[in-house]
Amino acid sequence: MKKLLHLVLLVVAAAMCFSLGFAFRDLSKGRMPTAEPISRLLGPKAKAPQATATQVFKHTFNKILRDYYKPVDAAELKYAAMQGVMGALGDPHTVFMEPKGTKEFMKETSGNIDFVGVGARLLPDELGARVMTVFKSGPASRSGVMPGDLVVGVNGKAVAGLEIDKIVSQIRGPEGTEVTLNLVRAGGAKVELKMRRAKVIAPTVDGFVVDGTDIGYLMIAQFSENSVAQFDTVVQDLEAKKIGGLVIDLRNNPGGRLETAVELLSRFVADKLVVKMKFRDGKEQVERTYGDQLHAFGYPVVLLLNEDSASAAEIFGGVLKDYGLATLVGDHTYGKASVQNVWFLSDGSSAKVTIAHYFLPNGKDIARRVDEEGQYLSGGIKPDVEVALSLAPGTVFGDIRFDNQLQKAIEVIKNKRQ
Amino acid sequence: MNKKKSPWKSLAMALAFTAAAVGGALLRDQADVGLPISNLGTDQSLTIFASKDLEPDIPEGDYFYYLAELLKDKFVEPVKDDQKLAVGAARGMIASLGDPNASFMNPEQYKAYLLGLTGDYEGIGVELKFEYSKTAMAQLEKEDAGLDPADLVPKLVVSAVVPGGPAETAGIRPGDQIEAINGRYVLSTDSVLKFRAEAKAIRTSKADRATIDLKLRDLQERAKNGTTPMRAKDLAVLGTTGEARIRWVRAGQSHEASIPKRRTTWQPVSKMPDGTIRLTLIKGAAKQLATAIGNAKSVKLDLRNSTQGDSTEVAKCLAVLAPDGSYGEFVTQKGNKPVPLTIKGGRKPPLAIQIVADGSTRGAAEILALALKNKLKVPIQGPPMAGERVLVEASPLPDGSGYLLPTSTYQFATKASGAQKS
């Protein structure tokens, strides 16, 4: 009995020593031991004491700045790091923009493409350049340049045989300086028009009647705030010329404002679903067309699209396709299917982040998929009539002589009318 | 109570109590530390990661934290693991250096890299390097070449082959350029320029529009069938099963073969029949070198085909070969204090050394050769070496990926003449 008591005492004493050892860290720092370290030991398996993401970042950032054998610009290194952070999410539309890129981005989305020039869109021609459209109230328009005019000389120097880019750069110059265009009119008359270069705003919507047809061509470069009014004006002008069909060109249209696309779609269809957006928190939001903005297009409408048609342009095309209101001609579209928001950061940089996925009225997911080499696999809107653009030189959008996709669109309209 | 208490018994009890207390303290250690860090590796960088508060606060840290929180809060998919954001940052920073000796490696690549340092290779048994074409660089400098920096894609070049490995058996040698892998050509600035020239020739030809269109379309298809040099490298050096179909060029001649992938081992030291010692500065090189030299009075070192290197082996091998002293220094381009390459406990009995080297002598091997040449006037036979004397440091990241960062270059400076060019 005595022996047993002795043993128990011994065990208790040993246990006390053990506890003392266990709690020594606390006692030596003058605080009462708690049960917390015990629960850490016995409780659910604690995670490895991993450094936080911020610590890992700071460590790497400091290491490169300190140990790389060449001088490194800290600001550039920071920007590169943030690009890498966004890149880690694997979404090509979630991007970091440094201050310079942020400024450019804001200029682009403000809706105006402005530059200094005379305000005309030119097409290549063997004799020089052909005037495709003249921007309203620009220098060229004010001095009487007309669509269809042939530019054969700039400041008295012949431009025949020059590439279109070279001719354009001769016409452009500092704001306020003068330039003279030597033109040949449709009837063969030669005219010389002097104009003063100025800041011109390229309209986001432009149009004309295609040579030798009664079919209108309307190009939407991007969906910006002023596109709606411009669209209405161009349609009005074309209808005044009694068109019997309309080609809406959305090729290379990168998108823009969703609101604008919704408003333009309201010309075609009343009070219908445009897109359903699904956000991170599970919330859904739908965009519908307005009920009171319908326009009577009393003729076939064909859309031209290609792989550089993205975002709002795809929505515009996809919605008209889903409701059977237009025939789509060209290539498959990009396949964006997501909505971004931009946050401006303290140093003038910004973060463009995908915040939602969207789905078209038929519910299909059009998100772009690529293989491990980055090559397109699937996604985007498939056109009703697939035709690839000719790669041969001289192929310019809207030039009926060489633009084989436009040729196809016109053929489709003509077939529909029969 | 037992009155005749044995002193041994008391001592045993005291010991037991002490042991109990120490055991308690040890257990507490474990409770406070959590899981052992050793399962992450023992590299110093990781120890730093595991301890808190070692990195001072920097505004960039707050900036990163803010951006990470923004993404965790707003990005359309939940960000499950924010460590991948930090790893992404590392990848972005390393890429921005634009340095062929700096690279980010995903977990698979980093593992293969570490294995290579100990002489264990996967894939077809080669060391590959990225090399920027000099002609392309020159063309980039000419303004009307129509090249922009994004067009600068390095060539994939064999820097070394594992002796007796599948690649060597198939006939691949250092200096060969990898032209295609598994039927896809390896993209490079040269191929970009070639495609452009071809496109221009087609566009300006006298053929009709339909023919031009067809030919350009065909060219476009061919151009698409490429792969980046980075991906091609992975296909050649990762994995131990299957094979890689490789097309390589040497002196304008193309060769092609299907080469099996398997694990191969590179011995740092091997003695040739004529007594020459082939040396590669992977882990354990110095120890084996000492054994191979033994009591010999002279040695001939073959440093060709030696590119992979563990920088710590340079000093160790020097100590095997040469007496105490200073053998040059490591310098930066930032004006940091040079770090001398000093040998203590070096060789005492004199040793006559001869070195054979060529363009496939790089990095650690080249530094070793230069140190011996400059300090001890050891003769080097053969064509010029690669001219790569950069010391590169490897750092792991928490997800198993890692990166290589060049930290200094080697030079041999004498007080009278300053840096010597070799």
Side-chain angles (χ1 to χ4, degrees):
Chain A
M1 192 62 205
K2 209 174 178 185
K3 227 173 187 170
L4 189 70
L5 185 72
H6 197 92
L7 194 71
V8 168
L9 272 176
L10 215 73
V11 168
V12 168
M16 274 177 70
C17 283
F18 182 84
S19 312
L20 206 69
F22 193 80
F24 183 73
R25 185 161 299 168
D26 294 327
L27 296 173
S28 69
K29 284 178 186 158
R31 55 177 189 229
M32 280 308 287
T34 64
E36 196 248 333
I38 301 168
S39 68
R40 227 180 299 152
L41 257 188
L42 303 176
K45 268 268 184 273
K47 275 188 194 146
Q50 259 204 350
T52 64
T54 306
Q55 282 169 327
V56 173
F57 164 74
K58 283 199 287 187
H59 178 76
T60 315
F61 181 85
N62 284 337
K63 182 170 179 61
I64 293 173
L65 213 53
R66 183 186 63 227
D67 291 348
Y68 185 53
Y69 73 132
K70 291 177 189 170
V72 180
D73 184 288
E76 292 296 326
L77 191 65
K78 179 179 87 174
Y79 297 146
M82 300 310 146
Q83 272 151 13
V85 168
M86 309 290 262
L89 296 171
D91 168 28
H93 307 295
T94 295
V95 291
F96 179 84
M97 296 180 283
E98 42 190 275
K100 204 178 130 206
T102 302
K103 263 190 211 148
E104 276 166 20
F105 172 78
M106 283 164 74
K107 211 173 150 187
E108 268 172 39
T109 47
S110 71
N112 290 333
I113 313 162
D114 61 353
F115 57 91
V116 174
V118 298
R121 221 180 289 268
L122 299 180
L123 287 175
D125 191 285
E126 281 138 35
L127 300 171
R130 213 154 54 93
V131 179
M132 184 177 166
T133 50
V134 180
F135 306 159
K136 285 195 181 65
S137 70
S141 162
R142 279 196 301 261
S143 57
V145 178
M146 296 204 296
D149 285 353
L150 208 59
V151 182
V152 293
V154 178
N155 291 329
K157 267 199 330 210
V159 292
L162 286 184
E163 276 178 40
I164 191 78
D165 295 351
K166 295 257 163 70
I167 302 175
V168 168
S169 71
Q170 281 189 28
I171 296 174
R172 287 198 185 173
E175 191 172 354
T177 56
E178 282 190 338
V179 60
T180 305
L181 298 186
N182 306 84
L183 304 168
V184 176
R185 284 269 142 92
K190 286 185 180 173
V191 285
E192 203 177 284
L193 296 175
K194 195 187 261 186
M195 59 207 78
R196 195 174 291 277
R197 297 176 178 114
K199 194 167 263 180
V200 289
I201 295 167
T204 55
V205 183
D206 214 341
F208 51 83
V209 177
V210 177
D211 278 357
T213 71
D214 63 340
I215 292 166
Y217 170 90
L218 182 150
M219 175 275 291
I220 307 176
Q222 68 181 51
F223 293 89
S224 63
E225 227 170 317
N226 46 26
S227 304
V228 179
Q230 289 172 358
F231 179 87
D232 290 342
T233 312
V234 172
V235 169
Q236 212 177 353
D237 286 356
L238 291 173
E239 288 182 346
K241 289 173 186 161
K242 303 268 181 287
I243 52 166
L246 180 65
V247 178
I248 299 178
D249 192 349
L250 296 166
R251 289 175 297 178
N252 288 14
N253 181 326
R257 284 162 43 100
L258 179 59
E259 299 90 319
T260 301
V262 171
E263 223 174 317
L264 288 181
L265 283 166
S266 304
R267 307 301 191 250
F268 292 86
V269 57
D271 198 24
K272 285 274 194 203
L273 177 66
V274 174
V275 280
K276 181 157 54 172
M277 289 178 275
K278 284 187 184 163
F279 290 85
R280 160 72 176 281
D281 51 13
K283 269 193 203 128
E284 290 188 355
Q285 188 185 321
V286 295
E287 291 285 343
R288 298 180 72 84
T289 57
Y290 302 102
D292 53 357
Q293 296 188 2
L294 218 49
H295 175 84
F297 295 89
Y299 40 79
V301 176
V302 168
L303 303 188
L304 280 175
L305 294 152
N306 68 7
E307 199 169 347
D308 290 319
S309 308
S311 187
E314 285 174 291
I315 294 176
F316 187 85
V319 169
L320 289 187
K321 185 185 175 178
D322 284 359
Y323 293 127
L325 295 166
T327 309
L328 275 50
V329 174
D331 304 306
H332 68 80
T333 60
Y334 178 84
K336 175 118 172 300
S338 59
V339 184
Q340 282 73 32
N341 202 0
V342 178
W343 278 269
F344 295 96
L345 305 169
S346 55
D347 61 349
S349 305
S350 58
K352 192 161 95 173
V353 182
T354 297
I355 53 161
H357 287 309
Y358 66 70
F359 300 86
L360 290 175
N362 71 2
K364 224 179 101 192
D365 177 15
I366 61 156
R368 182 184 185 87
R369 311 255 184 270
V370 294
D371 67 8
E372 45 205 4
E373 308 286 347
Q375 303 281 0
Y376 170 86
L377 286 177
S378 66
I381 314 255
K382 242 177 98 78
D384 302 301
V385 181
E386 230 170 319
V387 52
L389 187 72
S390 167
L391 296 173
T395 309
V396 176
F397 291 162
D399 184 348
I400 188 63
R401 293 172 303 164
F402 298 134
D403 181 348
N404 60 319
Q405 289 179 325
L406 176 58
Q407 288 164 0
K408 191 67 172 182
I410 286 170
E411 190 188 312
V412 168
I413 290 177
K414 284 182 175 165
N415 288 341
K416 280 203 165 190
R417 287 197 303 211
Q418 276 165 12
Chain B
M1 286 281 254
N2 199 343
K3 275 170 201 164
K4 271 195 204 164
K5 210 156 83 180
S6 144
W8 292 114
K9 213 170 175 180
S10 308
L11 188 65
M13 265 165 66
L15 271 175
F17 290 155
T18 316
V22 169
L26 283 177
L27 194 66
R28 175 59 185 273
D29 274 355
Q30 218 186 325
D32 285 1
V33 171
L35 284 179
I37 300 160
S38 59
N39 62 357
L40 293 171
T42 51
D43 191 281
Q44 182 159 10
S45 304
L46 272 183
T47 337
I48 293 168
F49 283 152
S51 61
K52 284 180 184 171
D53 308 328
L54 258 177
E55 293 299 329
D57 275 336
I58 48 171
E60 289 84 0
D62 298 339
Y63 198 93
F64 171 85
Y65 179 78
Y66 175 79
L67 191 64
E69 290 301 307
L70 177 72
L71 293 174
K72 275 152 70 175
D73 192 34
K74 301 289 184 197
F75 185 60
V76 67
E77 314 277 352
V79 180
K80 286 191 196 95
D81 174 16
D82 63 356
Q83 290 285 358
K84 83 173 177 190
L85 300 179
V87 170
R91 182 194 285 267
M93 288 189 280
I94 291 295
S96 76
L97 299 176
D99 187 326
N101 288 308
S103 61
F104 175 88
M105 292 172 279
N106 66 32
E108 214 187 339
Q109 294 164 333
Y110 193 62
K111 201 183 112 214
Y113 168 80
L114 293 180
L115 276 175
L117 282 185
T118 61
D120 283 325
Y121 282 78
E122 287 185 2
I124 61 168
V126 280
E127 277 288 331
L128 298 173
K129 63 173 174 178
F130 301 123
E131 207 176 84
Y132 287 93
S133 150
K134 289 196 180 85
T135 51
M137 297 287 259
Q139 249 179 302
L140 184 66
E141 274 163 29
K142 277 194 285 168
E143 283 211 1
D144 57 345
L147 263 185
D148 69 73
D151 294 331
L152 265 192
V153 187
K155 288 192 278 194
L156 188 60
V157 176
V158 177
S159 51
V161 293
V162 180
E168 193 189 45
T169 310
I172 292 182
R173 295 290 175 268
D176 292 352
Q177 187 192 336
I178 306 293
E179 205 178 36
I181 185 156
N182 297 343
R184 305 192 89 135
Y185 75 92
V186 182
L187 188 76
S188 72
T189 310
D190 290 339
S191 54
V192 171
L193 290 175
K194 220 167 83 188
F195 279 121
R196 276 204 196 154
E198 229 178 301
K200 197 178 170 190
I202 297 171
R203 233 179 276 127
T204 51
S205 69
K206 288 269 182 285
D208 60 282
R209 292 178 55 83
T211 314
I212 291 178
D213 182 35
L214 215 68
K215 281 188 172 170
L216 284 175
R217 221 165 275 286
D218 172 62
L219 184 69
Q220 211 173 44
E221 281 309 308
R222 272 194 289 142
K224 268 189 200 165
N225 188 33
T227 188
T228 62
M230 296 77 193
R231 197 171 144 66
K233 182 181 173 182
D234 280 359
L235 291 172
V237 304
L238 296 181
T240 52
T241 54
E243 52 182 31
R245 182 145 191 88
I246 308 272
R247 192 168 79 226
W248 70 95
V249 236
R250 186 186 313 148
Q253 281 253 306
S254 275
H255 311 263
E256 189 157 4
S258 283
I259 305 173
K261 292 184 181 182
R262 60 180 166 88
R263 194 170 289 287
T264 44
T265 306
W266 194 335
Q267 291 300 332
V269 170
S270 51
K271 218 165 180 170
M272 298 290 103
D274 68 346
T276 302
I277 292 174
R278 269 184 162 183
L279 175 65
T280 295
L281 294 160
I282 50 184
K283 279 204 175 90
K287 231 179 213 169
Q288 288 193 28
L289 184 63
T291 317
I293 293 175
N295 296 323
K297 296 232 168 12
S298 70
V299 66
K300 189 171 177 182
L301 290 179
D302 186 349
L303 292 177
R304 290 175 298 182
N305 190 33
S306 178
T307 63
Q308 181 73 295
D310 185 332
S311 54
T312 58
E313 290 293 334
V314 177
K316 287 189 202 159
C317 284
L318 264 180
V320 171
L321 296 162
D324 288 2
S326 184
Y327 285 80
E329 58 196 11
F330 293 100
V331 294
T332 68
Q333 294 176 21
K334 299 196 290 194
N336 298 9
K337 204 169 159 246
V339 178
L341 174 57
T342 327
I343 301 304
K344 281 188 197 120
R347 187 180 182 87
K348 296 227 167 65
L351 180 69
I353 308 169
Q354 270 184 293
I355 289 174
V356 186
D358 66 7
S360 63
T361 309
R362 279 176 96 213
E366 183 165 356
I367 294 172
L368 177 73
L370 287 174
L372 290 168
K373 180 193 171 194
N374 289 318
K375 176 88 174 181
L376 304 176
K377 308 288 169 247
V378 166
I380 300 180
Q381 298 167 19
M385 296 185 283
E388 281 288 348
R389 299 145 206 178
V390 182
L391 207 60
V392 177
E393 199 180 301
S395 303
L397 290 164
D399 70 338
S401 61
Y403 60 92
L404 296 182
L405 187 70
T407 53
S408 58
T409 45
Y410 171 81
Q411 73 174 27
F412 189 85
T414 56
K415 268 168 201 152
S417 65
Q420 275 190 4
K421 290 213 170 88
S422 320

